[in-house]
Amino acid sequence: MRVFRFIIALFLLHAPCEAAGPNGKTSCRFLGLEGIEAPPPLLNVSPDGVEVACTVPIATLSPDTACFAKGEAMAFVAASDRKLVATATIPAGVTSAILVFIPAPKPAQVPWKVLVIDDSAKTLPDAGAFVANLYNQEVRFVLGASKIMLKAGTSHSLPRPEPRDEFNMAPVVFQFQQKQDKWATASESMLRFVPGARYLMFAYVDPASGRPRIMTCKDSYRPPPPPPP
């Protein structure tokens, strides 16, 4: 799991000094990576003791769950023994988020790290894509006519790609850097980009095979607008 040492900075996302949503509450959806065992059933506990059950599905987004943070920290404990499993840092002003659970490097007192993605049109544009590089080297990818280089531990949001064919399909290609001047294609496909849907894409190392891997998750959910001030 040493690859995940390179992505801790990606999780912090400019840690805030105040709670994210009203009363420290944030609308959360959970996601785990293919090829990695999911975390155990979790609990998020509010400051006044309310327990919220949370499940992290693999390769698909969970239903929306209202979770609580204390300051900037949103803690999750195992439902079985109440031991701390992960702490997510929720940026100030974020009222809806996607939480991606990734194993922490061993040995670690807290076994999981959490990538917090702002579930908004700015980060996840309609008919577009969000790409995160969890690999320990650079990754380059093609989305339509866009050619992007991502350093380790960084992410990028892209609008609806151009050009597309008559079926709204556009090419998506990922290459992993293996040596200084050597690249290997890990994924090459055509995806359909239409309004009302968006893609989350993650580049990482499969822990079983040790080989680079791409996971793509399609999201057709739209979070409700925040309540008026």
XYZ file of all heavy atoms in Angstrom, residues 17-55:
271
model
N -11.437 26.072 9.160
C -11.405 26.294 10.595
C -12.809 26.274 11.185
O -12.987 26.461 12.359
C -10.726 27.624 10.922
S -11.474 29.052 10.132
N -13.832 26.071 10.343
C -15.194 26.013 10.820
C -15.871 24.783 10.236
O -15.426 24.204 9.258
C -15.975 27.274 10.405
C -15.392 28.565 10.992
C -16.180 29.767 10.531
O -17.094 29.601 9.713
O -15.881 30.863 10.995
N -16.982 24.387 10.839
C -17.742 23.264 10.316
C -18.250 23.581 8.925
O -18.482 24.733 8.566
C -18.908 22.961 11.259
N -18.474 22.520 8.127
C -18.820 22.718 6.730
C -20.245 23.217 6.540
O -20.477 24.289 6.016
C -18.621 21.407 5.982
N -21.232 22.419 6.931
C -22.607 22.792 6.712
C -23.265 23.305 7.975
O -22.628 23.433 9.027
N -24.580 23.600 7.896
C -25.295 24.049 9.090
C -25.223 23.002 10.193
O -25.417 21.814 9.954
C -26.734 24.232 8.567
C -26.603 24.404 7.094
C -25.416 23.561 6.705
N -24.907 23.429 11.419
C -24.790 22.541 12.569
C -23.755 21.441 12.355
O -23.835 20.362 12.953
C -26.160 21.913 12.896
C -27.220 22.957 13.185
O -26.961 23.915 13.902
N -28.397 22.783 12.613
N -22.767 21.706 11.508
C -21.737 20.713 11.253
C -22.219 19.536 10.432
O -21.554 18.506 10.382
N -23.363 19.643 9.766
C -23.947 18.532 9.025
C -23.636 18.682 7.533
O -23.737 19.760 6.957
C -25.462 18.492 9.227
C -26.147 17.259 8.644
C -27.645 17.323 8.807
C -28.060 17.232 10.263
N -29.536 17.141 10.394
N -23.238 17.560 6.900
C -22.926 17.535 5.479
C -23.609 16.337 4.843
O -23.620 15.241 5.402
C -21.404 17.432 5.249
O -20.749 18.535 5.880
C -21.079 17.453 3.761
N -24.183 16.547 3.674
C -24.792 15.465 2.918
C -23.681 14.673 2.232
O -22.940 15.222 1.415
C -25.766 16.045 1.885
O -26.346 15.020 1.122
N -23.543 13.386 2.567
C -22.404 12.583 2.100
C -22.862 11.366 1.309
O -23.882 10.745 1.621
C -21.567 12.105 3.284
S -20.813 13.435 4.234
N -22.055 11.027 0.302
C -22.167 9.740 -0.376
C -20.800 9.071 -0.305
O -19.770 9.746 -0.341
C -22.641 9.914 -1.817
C -24.079 10.393 -1.903
C -24.592 10.405 -3.330
N -23.940 11.421 -4.126
C -23.842 11.369 -5.457
N -24.292 10.317 -6.120
N -23.259 12.349 -6.117
N -20.789 7.743 -0.248
C -19.560 7.004 0.006
C -19.198 6.140 -1.196
O -20.069 5.660 -1.928
C -19.727 6.129 1.248
C -20.096 6.908 2.476
C -21.422 7.053 2.848
C -19.119 7.521 3.240
C -21.776 7.785 3.975
C -19.458 8.253 4.368
C -20.784 8.383 4.733
N -17.872 5.919 -1.362
C -17.387 5.166 -2.505
C -16.086 4.463 -2.155
O -15.200 5.052 -1.522
C -17.148 6.122 -3.691
C -16.601 5.524 -4.987
C -17.611 4.549 -5.605
C -16.279 6.642 -5.983
N -15.972 3.183 -2.552
C -14.734 2.434 -2.405
C -14.198 2.048 -3.766
O -14.937 2.025 -4.769
N -12.908 1.730 -3.838
C -12.242 1.416 -5.097
C -12.283 -0.079 -5.393
O -12.157 -0.914 -4.488
C -10.791 1.896 -5.068
C -10.568 3.393 -4.859
C -9.079 3.695 -4.802
C -11.250 4.211 -5.950
N -12.435 -0.413 -6.665
C -12.401 -1.807 -7.097
C -11.060 -2.435 -6.751
O -10.014 -1.798 -6.844
C -12.625 -1.903 -8.603
C -14.043 -1.620 -9.052
C -14.207 -1.685 -10.555
O -13.249 -1.352 -11.271
O -15.293 -2.057 -11.010
N -11.094 -3.711 -6.352
C -9.879 -4.431 -6.037
C -9.390 -4.216 -4.625
O -8.380 -4.793 -4.222
N -10.084 -3.389 -3.853
C -9.708 -3.094 -2.474
C -10.895 -3.428 -1.576
O -12.019 -2.980 -1.830
C -9.302 -1.619 -2.304
C -8.083 -1.300 -3.181
C -9.012 -1.297 -0.840
C -7.697 0.158 -3.198
N -10.661 -4.202 -0.553
C -11.739 -4.588 0.356
C -12.372 -3.360 0.990
O -11.682 -2.422 1.398
C -11.201 -5.523 1.441
C -12.269 -6.087 2.354
C -11.711 -7.059 3.380
O -10.492 -7.357 3.304
O -12.470 -7.513 4.240
N -13.682 -3.366 1.064
C -14.407 -2.219 1.618
C -14.169 -2.101 3.113
O -13.903 -3.091 3.798
C -15.898 -2.366 1.338
N -14.272 -0.894 3.666
C -14.222 -0.737 5.125
C -15.383 -1.489 5.783
O -16.390 -1.790 5.137
C -14.372 0.780 5.320
C -14.025 1.387 4.009
C -14.425 0.398 2.971
N -15.274 -1.766 7.067
C -16.385 -2.425 7.777
C -17.568 -1.468 7.890
O -17.449 -0.277 7.595
C -15.773 -2.712 9.149
C -14.756 -1.631 9.337
C -14.158 -1.428 7.970
N -18.740 -1.967 8.293
C -19.861 -1.055 8.563
C -19.432 0.035 9.539
O -18.766 -0.234 10.542
C -20.924 -1.980 9.168
C -20.616 -3.321 8.591
C -19.118 -3.377 8.481
N -19.813 1.263 9.227
C -19.321 2.416 9.973
C -20.441 3.141 10.702
O -21.625 3.014 10.353
C -18.635 3.401 9.012
C -17.474 2.874 8.176
C -17.003 3.949 7.203
C -16.326 2.419 9.066
N -20.024 3.923 11.685
C -20.917 4.860 12.359
C -20.268 6.234 12.351
O -19.061 6.372 12.557
C -21.176 4.441 13.807
C -21.989 3.171 14.050
C -22.031 2.878 15.547
C -23.395 3.300 13.491
N -21.096 7.239 12.096
C -20.709 8.631 12.297
C -21.560 9.137 13.461
O -22.782 8.962 13.459
C -20.962 9.447 11.029
C -20.868 10.946 11.255
O -21.881 11.635 11.263
N -19.669 11.450 11.438
N -20.922 9.716 14.470
C -21.628 10.096 15.695
C -21.677 11.618 15.807
O -20.635 12.286 15.728
C -20.960 9.488 16.941
C -21.758 9.831 18.189
C -20.839 7.968 16.786
N -22.871 12.149 16.001
C -23.037 13.590 16.135
C -22.535 14.052 17.498
O -22.360 13.248 18.419
C -24.508 13.968 15.970
O -25.241 13.596 17.122
N -22.291 15.358 17.680
C -21.830 15.862 18.979
C -22.772 15.533 20.136
O -22.321 15.419 21.280
C -21.741 17.380 18.747
C -21.494 17.520 17.283
C -22.285 16.418 16.648
N -24.065 15.361 19.849
C -25.003 15.037 20.935
C -25.330 13.543 20.988
O -26.303 13.137 21.622
C -26.286 15.858 20.818
C -26.958 15.711 19.464
O -26.432 14.955 18.611
O -28.019 16.334 19.262
N -24.503 12.713 20.308
C -24.625 11.271 20.466
C -25.490 10.544 19.467
O -25.680 9.327 19.586
N -26.026 11.226 18.462
C -26.828 10.562 17.436
C -25.911 9.737 16.535
O -24.923 10.250 16.006
C -27.618 11.581 16.592
C -28.354 10.882 15.461
C -28.585 12.353 17.470
N -26.224 8.446 16.365
C -25.397 7.556 15.548
C -25.996 7.406 14.159
O -27.173 7.102 13.999
C -25.276 6.181 16.213
C -24.524 6.216 17.541
C -24.342 4.832 18.139
O -25.011 3.890 17.680
O -23.511 4.696 19.067
N -25.149 7.624 13.146
C -25.563 7.515 11.751
C -24.824 6.334 11.129
O -23.598 6.312 11.090
C -25.251 8.803 10.975
C -25.682 8.664 9.515
C -25.925 10.009 11.624
N -25.561 5.335 10.651
C -24.957 4.163 10.016
C -24.508 4.520 8.607
O -25.257 5.147 7.831
C -25.950 3.011 9.992
N -23.285 4.114 8.245
C -22.713 4.428 6.936
C -22.109 3.162 6.328
O -21.424 2.401 7.013
C -21.621 5.489 7.051
S -22.132 7.006 7.894
N -22.356 2.955 5.039
C -21.804 1.818 4.308
C -21.041 2.338 3.101
O -21.513 3.239 2.401
C -22.924 0.867 3.846
O -23.650 0.400 4.990
C -22.351 -0.322 3.095
